[in-house]
Amino acid sequence: MIETTQEELAIDCFLLAGRMLIQSGAETYRAEDTMLRMASSQGLTDAQSFVTPTGIIFSAGHKRPTRIAQISSRTTDLEKIALINSVSRKLTAGVFTLEEAYEELLKIERTNLFFPIWVQVVASAIASGCFLILFNGTWIDVPFAVIIGGIGYLIFLAMHSLTKVKFFAEFTGSLFVGLLSVLVIKVGWGYQLDKIVIGSVMPLVPGLPIANAVRDLMAGHFVSGVAKGMEALLTAFAIGAGIALALSF
Amino acid sequence: MDWLIQGMLSFIGTAGFGIIFNAPKKTLFHCGLVGMIGWLIYYAFLQKGVDAVFATFAGAFLISIVAHILARQFKTPMIVFSVAGIIPLVPGGLAYNAMRTIVENDYAKSIQYSARVFIIAGAIVMGLVFAEVFMQLIFNGIRKRKAKLSKLSS
C-alpha cells in the first residue's frame, strides 16, 4: 500500500497523463485506459475514471479523494500522445518509478514538441500542391495552390493564437483561401477555381476529430464520440462558410 | 507514369499532414506510406469504374489495417498513422460543390452534393470501423493461439 503523500503524487501523475492525452487529441478510451493501467500498476486496483473531451473525473477508490481535471483546449499533437504512451508503458512495466514518471510527464508538458511554424506552413503549402494534382487539377495551377495553401494555414495559425477561437480561425483561414483563389482566377493566372480552392483548403480539414469520433463511438464512449463528431462537423461548417462567403463576392 | 505520380504526390501530401499534426519524426515516412497505400487503392478502384463510395471504403479499410500493424511495430497509438492517411479520402470536391451551389441558391443540387458528401464520409468511417473489428478478431486469435502453444510447451 502506498503512503498518503505517495498516493497524492500517484493521483496527480495519472491526472496529468490523462489531461495531456486529451489536450493532445488522443481518443477518450485511450486516456481512460492509460490512467487505469498506471493506477493498477501502483496498487490502486479499484480506481475508476470518467473522461470527456472537456474534463476528467478520477477516483482512486475507497476513502481516497475523487479528483477532477478541467480541459479547456485541445490541439493535435501526435508526438505528445506517443511520448505519454511510452511513459505509461514504462511505468506499468516497472522501468520507471512513480517519481520518475511524474518528472518525465512534467518535462513533456513543459517542452514544445511542435515543428517550427515555418516548417508547418511549408508542409501545408506542399501538401496543398500535391492534393491539387491528386484531385485532377492542372499542373499550371500548382504554384497558386502551394502559395494560397501556405498563406491560408498561416492565417489559421495566426488567428488561432490571436483569438483562441478555433472555429473562427478556421473560418478566416478558409475565407482567405477562397478570396485569394478568386483573385488569382480574376487576374487570369489560374485555370480551375474549384481545384485551387479544394487543394488549398485541405490543411484545415479536421482529420483527427473524424478518426477519434469513430474510435470513441466504437469503444462505447457515446458522450465523447458525439462531442468529437460535432467538433468535426462544426469545423467542416466553418470551412464551408468561409469558402461560401468568398465565392459570393 | 500516372501511377508513379499519384503514388509520389499522395506520399508527400500525407507526410506533409504528418508534419501539420506533429507526428513523431521517425514515423513521418510511415505516415506517408500509409496515405499512399490508401490513396492508390482508392485510385485503382476509381480507374476500374467502381463507385467512389466503395473505393473510399476500401481505402479507409486498408489505411486502418496498415496503421494497426505499424502501431504494433512502433508501440505507439494507432491514430499516429491513420489520421494523416485518411485526409486524401476526404471528399473535398463534393463539399466544395455543395457550398458553391448553396451560394448560387441552387438548394436542390446542393442537397444532392451534401448527401453524397455524407455518404462518402460515412464510407471512411465504416472503413475504419470494419478494420478495427477485423484487427481485433485477428489479434485475439493470435493471442489465443500463443496461449495455447505456451500451454502445450510447458
Side-chain angles (χ1 to χ4, degrees):
Chain A
M1 206 77 220
I2 354 178
E3 308 276 312
T4 321
T5 47
Q6 190 79 353
E7 214 165 66
E8 276 167 4
L9 178 72
I11 296 174
D12 274 347
C13 181
F14 308 149
L15 271 179
L16 181 66
R19 185 164 58 80
M20 284 199 319
L21 275 176
I22 296 295
Q23 279 178 343
S24 315
E27 310 99 307
T28 309
Y29 89 89
R30 180 177 305 285
E32 282 189 358
D33 192 51
T34 305
M35 286 165 75
L36 291 185
R37 269 168 203 262
M38 287 167 88
S40 71
S41 79
Q42 298 302 313
L44 300 168
T45 41
D46 49 358
Q48 298 270 329
S49 72
F50 177 72
V51 178
T52 69
T54 50
I56 297 174
I57 303 173
F58 181 82
S59 163
H62 296 286
K63 287 189 181 170
R64 301 188 185 97
T66 296
R67 297 272 305 274
I68 296 176
Q70 192 192 11
I71 297 158
S72 51
S73 69
R74 286 164 302 280
T75 51
T76 303
D77 191 344
L78 296 177
E79 181 159 22
K80 210 172 232 179
I81 298 174
L83 283 176
I84 298 165
N85 191 49
S86 78
V87 169
S88 117
R89 271 173 197 269
K90 279 179 187 159
L91 181 70
T92 39
V95 181
F96 276 177
T97 62
L98 193 60
E99 284 83 6
E100 280 172 338
Y102 192 55
E103 278 296 305
E104 192 69 25
L105 285 176
L106 284 176
K107 211 197 287 170
I108 294 172
E109 195 191 20
R110 276 196 302 267
T111 44
N112 178 17
L113 297 161
F114 278 105
F115 287 93
I117 300 271
W118 69 269
V119 176
Q120 289 184 46
V121 170
V122 167
S124 60
I126 293 173
S128 300
C130 291
F131 283 117
L132 176 84
I133 297 297
L134 290 183
F135 295 145
N136 292 326
T138 52
W139 286 95
I140 308 158
D141 288 337
V142 168
F144 306 119
V146 168
I147 293 167
I148 295 171
I151 292 175
Y153 194 69
L154 188 64
I155 287 171
F156 163 70
L157 286 178
M159 289 311 284
H160 189 47
S161 67
L162 208 68
T163 60
K164 305 280 174 217
V165 185
K166 199 154 161 271
F167 301 117
F168 184 70
E170 277 145 0
F171 172 76
T172 2
S174 67
L175 176 66
F176 271 88
V177 165
L179 287 177
L180 287 172
S181 309
V182 171
L183 188 76
V184 161
I185 296 293
K186 283 266 164 71
V187 171
W189 292 335
Y191 278 85
Q192 292 165 300
L193 174 67
D194 51 344
K195 305 290 181 202
I196 297 179
V197 170
I198 298 162
S200 313
V201 98
M202 283 308 270
L204 303 176
V205 166
L208 191 75
I210 297 175
N212 272 352
V214 179
R215 300 206 80 202
D216 278 340
L217 284 176
M218 285 304 292
H221 285 277
F222 294 110
V223 175
S224 311
V226 170
K228 294 258 174 70
M230 211 53 220
E231 191 182 349
L233 209 64
L234 265 178
T235 307
F237 184 72
I239 295 172
I243 294 293
L245 189 61
L247 287 181
S248 61
F249 281 124
Chain B
M1 191 59 198
D2 184 36
W3 286 90
L4 198 70
I5 289 174
Q6 296 280 333
M8 255 173 56
L9 288 178
S10 54
F11 178 85
I12 299 169
T14 319
F17 264 94
I19 292 177
I20 294 174
F21 294 145
N22 198 28
K25 283 178 198 70
K26 60 172 192 242
T27 64
L28 277 181
F29 177 79
H30 300 84
C31 285
L33 211 64
V34 171
M36 187 176 84
I37 293 170
W39 176 260
L40 285 183
I41 289 293
Y42 169 78
Y43 191 67
F45 274 114
L46 278 194
Q47 297 300 86
K48 288 256 173 203
V50 180
D51 189 60
V53 175
F54 185 76
T56 310
F57 171 80
F61 183 77
L62 213 70
I63 284 167
S64 191
I65 294 227
V66 178
H68 270 287
I69 294 168
L70 284 173
R72 294 258 151 177
Q73 208 181 346
F74 278 83
K75 291 204 178 356
T76 51
M78 165 263 189
I79 50 165
V80 169
F81 298 103
S82 66
V83 167
I86 58 168
I87 294 284
L89 301 178
V90 171
L94 289 166
Y96 171 85
N97 280 331
M99 273 300 150
R100 185 179 49 89
T101 39
I102 282 188
V103 174
E104 290 166 355
N105 288 329
D106 192 349
Y107 297 120
K109 258 215 180 104
S110 171
I111 287 173
Q112 282 182 17
Y113 282 125
S114 308
R116 191 91 181 133
V117 170
F118 270 104
I119 290 170
I120 290 186
I124 298 178
V125 167
M126 285 324 279
L128 294 178
V129 168
F130 272 55
E132 180 106 29
V133 174
F134 184 72
M135 288 315 268
Q136 258 170 25
L137 286 178
I138 285 189
F139 283 137
N140 284 347
I142 291 173
R143 208 174 296 143
K144 266 184 198 153
R145 235 196 133 120
K146 267 191 188 157
K148 224 185 230 171
L149 281 177
S150 63
K151 222 183 236 171
L152 280 177
S153 60
S154 63

